[in-house]
Amino acid sequence: MTEEKDISRLTDSEARAELAKLAEQLAAANQAYHTNDAPDISDAEYDRLKRRNAAIEAAFPDLKRADSPTDQVGAQVADGFGKVTHAVAMLSLGNAFEDEDVTGFADRVRSFLGLPSAAPLEFTAEPKIDGLSLSLRYEDGKLVQAATRGDGATGENVTANALTISDIPHQIEGAPQILEVRGEVYMSHADFAALNERQEAAGDKAFANPRNAAAGSLRQLDSSITQSRPLKFFAYAWGDLSAPLAETQFEAVERLATLGFSTNPLTKKCNSARELISHYRSIEEQRATLGYDIDGVVYKVNDLALQSRLGFRSTTPRWAIAHKFAAETAWTRLEAIDIQVGRTGALSPVARLTPVTVGGVVVSNATLHNEDYIRGLDNKGEEIRGGKDIREGDWVQVYRAGDVIPKVADVDLSKRPADSKPYEFPPTCPECGSPAVREEGDSVRFCTGGMICPAQAKEKLKHFVARKAFDIEGLGAKQIEMFFDDETLPIKEPADIFTLAKRDEAQLTKLKNRMGWGEQSATNLFAAIEDKREIAFGRMLFSLGIRHVGETAAKDLALHFMEWDALVKGAETAREAAVAWRKADEAEETERHAAKAEGRSAKIKATRDATIAGCSVPITSTAAWQDMTGIDGIGATVGLSLTDAFANAQERAAIDRLVAELTIIPPEAPSKESPVAGKTVVFTGSLEKMTRAEAKARAEALGAKVAGSVSGKTDLLVAGPGAGSKAKKAADLGVETIDEDAWLALTEGL
Ligand code: IVH
């Protein structure tokens, strides 16, 4: 630090020069921090410069610059976006598109709760605001934290920005001691238009739509920018609470209004699917004149006690659904069909389009799913688009619904070029040349190249480092592309990530000395990798990108097997039974065709039994297969895929190399206090106080595994009246058996 002259001894010209220098230094620091996300001086040093600047200005008021750092409100270094773990996860909603989906929703709710179709059941219906959700935490009436949804479990801390939104009270009276208010931040059409005018006048980029504008405005590191953007907020839900707000959804939202929040005036109570749909139509009619974007109507079960009985699926509540408005469409030219190879080897055709605006967003690609879809058939072999096929050069109608990838809705045959030819799906992988095959009953063609296919390997790696997988900071899709083809420091498979630092040490030219890298970025990357050497079992399994093994399946498998080695052993032991199962599937398919051709009914069970018997599977293998596929939510499809992955020598070796680099942490049972956590429960007989679905969901929420059949692994059998063979088997095996009332007593109040 250079010696500073006492301000009282500065001459005018010295003061002027120092103010100029300070303005420049502070502007550079702001730029480094806010724009580049890479602060180059410490917060303390920054503060010192700012204080010095203010002191000189106070002593020489005439010399204060027009661009004085003192006047730049909020330009001081904010805390960046810290991470916030939501006390109650912020979930999303299932979607309904057709009227039947709405009736289906109401029927599912009734059936889950065991309500007869004539029993009254109230819902609320309200607009689905097209903005971004925000969770506001109030403690003792004071707003202490605002967080974005993020991935649902962890969001970004945007408290300083939320405080600038006038719809968001800083202080509320008469609320529970802890109250998390949830709702949507959005921008009105008028404010959006005015903002874009200002952006353009200032030579800045215009926003594509109000939702993007709202998101871009809320996620500003400098809250003075957020303050200058006209954001609004509607409250419609809550998270953590120290006391209930009300007994119904409708009253709870009314209570939020009383506390000072804006709530949507189009919220209505409805008594049937018919009433919900009629309110949906009425909101749809008003849509154009509301002055803000909505993309559907949200239906919620009104009674909060019923909401809590209904609970959640993995990411969506059973008690609510979003009825979306029909997607916007546009016509354009399909210029070419490209084939992309995914991580599982699936060949996915993509339509390259002449760019066209659909609902405010420019669309230049659309998914074409698979070869049947291009031909005009769905995955059951039935005609779609009236059987019209899709060809290069066609004039097509594209649509997008919400955030989903645009799709092709229709083809205008009158505009089809005379020389066009039906699209021929490649029989080989365009990336590695290996044969691309379709299995019986599967509409997707797969590259058989496995590990030798660079596209598969790269996509697998990108999945491996993705946010829901290993989530390694500084190692994203872009870096994978770079390292994959790197000659000195290649990453060809996941294990290579964890040997990167060691391999770098042995290199002459270190990563830090390479173009685009530096001491800091290389150190950060190696540290971020080290940080992930310890990894949760479920996350690890999901990260492998095995077909059909999604996040939920991976978590369920982890909870069942608890130890990595147990999973591997299970998959190995189940292998022979899995092979037999697949043969039985094929035999079944053949029998079905034969029966159809011969005009008789198919002998499915006999065919399967005979095939499996013909495979003479060891009993241990059958037991392991039943154990794996008996896990709730894990069926034969996941089982087959998993056993395939572990049976493939190359894939297995790559997995083992990775495992050798890691410490895999066993999962924790979700609810520790629960007496059934980690136990395997089977329900049998008729239940009278709850439906089977409800019992199962409740048991799972309490950390139990629910199985369909009694085995040596069963800890508890809940048997209602009419329990038959399962109760007998449980008795034979010495499995504890209780009735429904005992089950309720055991789980009450949890
Ligand atoms: S209720 C448990 N109500 O839609 C889920 N969500 O697709 C509670 N949204 O993440 C959400 N308007 O950002 C609810 N009136 C409304 C909504 C609404 C918009 C958003 C919200 C949510 C997303 C789900």
Side-chain angles (χ1 to χ4, degrees):
M1 203 194 300
T2 47
E3 232 355 87
E4 265 173 13
K5 203 166 171 183
D6 193 323
I7 291 175
S8 63
R9 289 170 47 213
L10 286 176
T11 65
D12 268 18
S13 68
E14 280 172 337
R16 186 180 291 114
E18 197 172 340
L19 285 177
K21 183 149 181 252
L22 283 165
E24 197 181 296
Q25 283 177 319
L26 285 162
N30 280 337
Q31 162 91 10
Y33 190 93
H34 295 296
T35 320
N36 310 341
D37 242 354
D40 52 359
I41 60 172
S42 69
D43 289 4
E45 172 69 353
Y46 181 92
D47 288 340
R48 193 189 64 77
L49 294 176
K50 264 208 113 157
R51 277 198 306 274
R52 173 97 182 153
N53 186 73
I56 300 175
E57 282 176 353
F60 299 90
D62 297 345
L63 298 182
K64 187 173 164 187
R65 299 167 58 92
D67 64 348
S68 161
T70 318
D71 295 340
Q72 287 165 28
V73 192
Q76 77 242 49
V77 178
D79 273 350
F81 291 132
K83 284 194 173 173
V84 171
T85 304
H86 297 297
V88 175
M90 289 182 82
L91 299 172
S92 56
L93 293 169
N95 290 328
F97 296 99
E98 312 291 338
D99 290 359
E100 297 84 77
D101 301 338
V102 180
T103 343
F105 163 66
D107 289 348
R108 276 197 307 281
V109 167
R110 281 179 190 282
S111 119
F112 189 93
L113 296 170
L115 294 176
S117 55
L121 179 61
E122 201 165 49
F123 297 93
T124 60
E126 70 203 63
K128 182 168 189 302
I129 317 298
D130 197 7
L132 66 152
S133 46
L134 187 68
S135 184
L136 305 167
R137 187 176 176 89
Y138 291 85
E139 288 176 9
D140 299 314
K142 186 172 180 289
L143 177 61
V144 293
Q145 189 175 68
T148 60
R149 177 167 179 269
D151 64 3
T154 314
E156 282 173 331
N157 186 339
V158 290
T159 314
N161 296 350
L163 285 166
T164 71
I165 300 176
S166 57
D167 277 349
I168 296 180
H170 295 190
Q171 190 78 40
I172 52 180
E173 304 253 320
Q177 192 253 328
I178 291 173
L179 167 62
E180 275 180 13
V181 177
R182 292 182 174 173
E184 204 83 352
V185 174
Y186 67 100
M187 196 179 280
S188 75
H189 291 157
D191 288 337
F192 168 69
L195 170 64
N196 264 354
E197 252 172 51
R198 289 203 302 275
Q199 291 284 110
E200 273 162 16
D204 291 332
K205 229 176 120 213
F207 291 101
N209 54 48
R211 185 181 182 283
N212 285 3
S217 303
L218 185 68
R219 298 189 64 262
Q220 286 287 337
L221 282 169
D222 180 350
S223 61
S224 70
I225 300 183
T226 310
Q227 184 158 33
S228 72
R229 305 275 174 82
L231 294 175
K232 294 197 158 80
F233 179 80
F234 271 132
Y236 52 66
W238 51 92
D240 203 7
L241 275 181
S242 56
L245 286 171
E247 287 185 2
T248 65
Q249 173 75 33
F250 195 84
E251 287 161 11
V253 173
E254 273 184 336
R255 175 104 188 267
L256 294 179
T258 321
L259 290 171
F261 294 92
S262 295
T263 56
N264 197 287
L266 297 176
T267 311
K268 191 175 177 242
K269 283 188 272 190
C270 297
N271 282 304
S272 62
R274 201 176 39 77
E275 281 182 31
L276 290 173
I277 293 167
S278 124
H279 192 48
Y280 170 90
R281 300 256 185 278
S282 138
I283 291 180
E284 195 174 29
E285 271 167 29
Q286 300 171 64
R287 187 179 181 190
T289 54
L290 289 179
Y292 50 88
D293 276 353
I294 62 173
D295 56 349
V297 178
V298 182
Y299 307 140
K300 299 171 185 170
V301 169
N302 194 29
D303 184 332
L304 297 181
L306 294 184
Q307 279 191 10
S308 106
R309 276 181 62 191
L310 284 155
F312 299 86
R313 282 178 232 96
S314 66
T315 58
T316 57
R318 288 193 190 85
W319 45 264
I321 199 162
H323 189 178
K324 303 297 270 295
F325 292 132
E328 303 200 44
T329 65
W331 286 90
T332 188
R333 178 84 55 206
L334 188 155
E335 295 173 355
I337 297 177
D338 282 351
I339 302 287
Q340 283 178 350
V341 183
R343 64 165 212 272
T344 58
L347 266 49
S348 310
V350 178
R352 304 293 178 207
L353 308 166
T354 305
V356 61
T357 307
V358 190
V361 172
V362 179
V363 167
S364 46
N365 299 313
T367 173
L368 294 174
H369 302 286
N370 55 57
E371 56 187 307
D372 285 352
Y373 182 86
I374 297 178
R375 245 188 255 152
L377 300 174
D378 69 8
N379 50 15
K380 289 194 199 92
E382 319 245 321
E383 280 191 356
I384 44 171
R385 300 182 300 270
K388 288 184 243 177
D389 69 333
I390 297 173
R391 302 181 184 187
E392 292 185 325
D394 267 344
W395 191 247
V396 292
Q397 187 188 36
V398 292
Y399 68 99
R400 44 185 291 281
D403 288 336
V404 302
I405 313 163
K407 297 185 183 191
V408 173
D410 202 3
V411 182
D412 186 344
L413 293 183
S414 72
K415 291 198 175 151
R416 175 167 279 178
D419 60 350
S420 86
K421 291 196 184 58
Y423 177 73
E424 271 185 45
F425 208 89
T428 55
C429 171
E431 301 281 343
C432 73
S434 306
V437 298
R438 266 182 84 164
E439 280 191 15
E440 187 77 45
D442 199 342
S443 43
V444 181
R445 201 172 268 276
F446 283 90
C447 161
T448 52
M451 305 282 284
I452 68 142
C453 177
Q456 274 191 57
K458 255 192 252 183
E459 292 309 311
K460 256 189 185 311
L461 279 165
K462 285 182 196 166
H463 169 82
F464 185 83
V465 298
R467 194 162 71 163
K468 291 185 170 176
F470 266 68
D471 190 19
I472 299 173
E473 214 165 316
L475 192 61
K478 214 173 85 195
Q479 288 77 12
I480 288 295
E481 285 283 349
M482 185 212 99
F483 279 117
F484 191 83
D485 295 318
D486 197 280
E487 284 182 4
T488 44
L489 213 52
I491 295 180
K492 298 280 189 203
E493 61 173 59
D496 294 343
I497 296 172
F498 293 93
T499 58
L500 197 69
K502 249 213 189 98
R503 287 186 288 139
D504 188 48
E505 268 173 32
Q507 291 298 329
L508 233 42
T509 311
K510 305 268 182 277
L511 185 62
K512 63 180 182 191
N513 298 324
R514 294 223 227 152
M515 267 271 282
W517 291 89
E519 177 88 48
Q520 197 61 44
S521 55
T523 314
N524 287 350
L525 176 63
F526 295 142
I529 292 173
E530 265 335 284
D531 200 41
K532 295 294 157 83
R533 239 182 237 281
E534 272 195 12
I535 191 91
F537 184 169
R539 203 177 254 265
M540 155 70 183
L541 181 56
F542 169 69
S543 305
L544 296 180
I546 297 168
R547 191 177 181 213
H548 302 303
V549 183
E551 251 186 313
T552 311
K555 237 167 59 193
D556 291 346
L557 284 159
L559 262 173
H560 180 81
F561 286 104
M562 297 308 281
E563 299 284 341
W564 180 261
D565 291 345
L567 167 81
V568 177
K569 180 134 188 297
E572 280 172 354
T573 316
R575 180 65 187 161
E576 284 169 88
V579 171
W581 185 274
R582 179 171 284 136
K583 283 204 180 124
D585 276 352
E586 284 162 6
E588 180 185 325
E589 193 70 23
T590 314
E591 163 67 6
R592 238 184 251 287
H593 283 301
K596 203 170 164 193
E598 293 161 21
R600 59 174 171 85
S601 59
K603 296 184 204 98
I604 303 297
K605 190 168 180 311
T607 308
R608 295 195 70 96
D609 287 351
T611 316
I612 291 177
C615 294
S616 47
V617 180
I619 192 143
T620 44
S621 184
T622 306
W625 173 251
Q626 281 173 350
D627 177 50
M628 179 183 294
T629 54
I631 305 171
D632 197 54
I634 308 292
T637 313
V638 175
L640 281 170
S641 205
L642 195 73
T643 54
D644 276 351
F646 284 95
N648 177 313
Q650 280 177 321
E651 206 167 335
R652 173 64 194 276
I655 294 174
D656 288 349
R657 281 192 288 273
L658 171 66
V659 171
E661 297 291 335
L662 304 173
T663 307
I664 301 172
I665 316 285
E668 265 179 38
S671 168
K672 279 209 187 115
E673 294 103 74
S674 142
V676 294
K679 302 230 164 117
T680 300
V681 181
V682 174
F683 291 93
T684 187
S686 53
L687 301 175
E688 283 156 357
K689 306 213 167 84
M690 56 190 165
T691 59
R692 187 62 71 82
E694 189 178 354
K696 184 164 153 253
R698 180 96 185 103
E700 280 166 358
L702 293 170
K705 294 172 232 164
V706 178
S709 57
V710 174
S711 74
K713 293 221 167 142
T714 312
D715 296 300
L716 185 64
L717 179 74
V718 182
S725 62
K726 286 183 191 167
K728 185 173 175 312
K729 189 160 179 202
D732 290 347
L733 292 167
V735 170
E736 185 186 352
T737 303
I738 59 174
D739 65 9
E740 187 180 6
D741 284 336
W743 165 257
L744 285 173
L746 186 67
T747 56
E748 202 157 31
L750 292 174

